[in-house]
């Protein structure tokens, strides 16, 4: 698996790499296979057995450690999932751990590492792990020890996301007045990292960060123009169709 640097909030709390998981390596031993029934469905166990027959082992991710002979667990962290806070700001990565958008893309040079982590086993000629040899874990510490710190406050961000769930479409931005630092930024509707294909084809455009969209604020100036017109004794009547066309582009109210 790949390691990737961590994105921290303003208080150095983890936003990414915050969820603990286990990478489980399963070998063809009776005790190992029997212990799978309390962690996986029957259909998934059939897939695991098929992989073991083909490759000699199978690898899965679990939320709990599995203790059994023939099974080796390595504790690691999920870089991101559907519970990730500030998804519109953080962005997401591809299957090789490269940042595709948001901060993941902007700071990819500080977060990405091309070298995979490895768990190295000593096996005999039949492909079975030799007992007494502890597998060697080779972690990429360069990626593990790197990261960036942003102004978002994880606690405030979580509250903003919970309260904004009643908004169908819009944005919430919480700013620190004295410094201008952004403490929370939410865009609605939200999307799932595990279903990006559905988000791309969704007409509500959940991938769009509405907190950072351009917005025409010309209406703020209209009362000033109207006031000057009234002072000059001039009136103007306009039929509003809900939009105005400028150079072939429709700008709605």
């Amino acid at each position: 698996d790949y390691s990737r640097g961590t994105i921290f909030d303003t208080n150095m709390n983890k936003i990414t790499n915050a969820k603990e998981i286990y990478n489980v390596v399963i070998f063809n031993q009776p005790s190992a296979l029997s212990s799978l029934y309390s962690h996986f469905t029957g259909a998934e166990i059939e897939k695991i057995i098929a992989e073991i027959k083909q490759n000699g082992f199978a690898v899965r991710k679990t939320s709990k450690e599995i203790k059994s002979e023939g099974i080796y667990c390595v504790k690691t962290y999920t870089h991101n999932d559907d519970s990730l806070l500030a998804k519109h700001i953080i962005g997401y990565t591809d299957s090789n751990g490269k940042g595709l958008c948001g901060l993941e893309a902007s700071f990819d040079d500080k977060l990405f590492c091309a070298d995979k982590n490895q768990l190295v086993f000593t096996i005999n000629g039949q492909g079975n792990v030799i007992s007494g040899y502890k597998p060697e874990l080779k972690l990429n510490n360069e990626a593990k020890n790197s990261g960036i710190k942003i102004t978002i406050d994880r606690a405030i961000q979580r509250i903003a996301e919970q309260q904004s769930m009643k908004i169908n479409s819009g944005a919430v931005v919480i700013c620190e007045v004295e410094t201008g630092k952004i403490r929370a930024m939410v865009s609605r509707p939200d999307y799932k990292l595990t279903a990006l294909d559905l988000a791309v084809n969704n007409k509500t455009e959940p991938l769009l960060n509405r907190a950072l969209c351009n917005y025409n604020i010309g209406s703020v100036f209209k009362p000033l123009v109207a006031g000057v017109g009234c002072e000059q004794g001039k009136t103007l009547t306009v039929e509003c169709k809900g939009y105005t066309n400028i150079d072939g582009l429709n700008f709605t109210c």
Side-chain angles (χ1 to χ4, degrees), residues 144-197:
K144 180 182 177 182
N145 297 328
S146 65
I148 61 171
K149 176 184 173 182
I150 62 177
T151 65
I152 294 294
D153 186 308
R154 193 175 67 176
I156 299 175
Q157 179 72 25
R158 180 175 286 108
I159 294 172
E161 292 191 11
Q162 291 172 347
Q163 294 301 314
S164 66
M165 290 180 68
K166 61 190 73 172
I167 301 175
N168 291 327
S169 180
V172 175
V173 179
I174 300 176
C175 180
E176 188 175 87
V177 177
E178 294 85 357
T179 63
K181 293 179 179 179
I182 304 298
R183 296 308 186 192
M185 181 180 287
V186 185
S187 179
R188 294 296 182 194
D190 201 0
Y191 65 91
K192 289 187 175 182
L193 288 171
T194 54
L196 290 175
D197 55 332

Side-chain angles (χ1 to χ4, degrees), residues 48 52 110 120 122-123 129-130 163 211 216 232 234 247:
I48 291 173
I52 292 175
K110 292 181 172 60
V120 183
T122 302
I123 60 176
V129 177
I130 300 177
Q163 294 301 314
N216 299 317
Q232 300 297 321
K234 297 179 179 181
D247 291 334

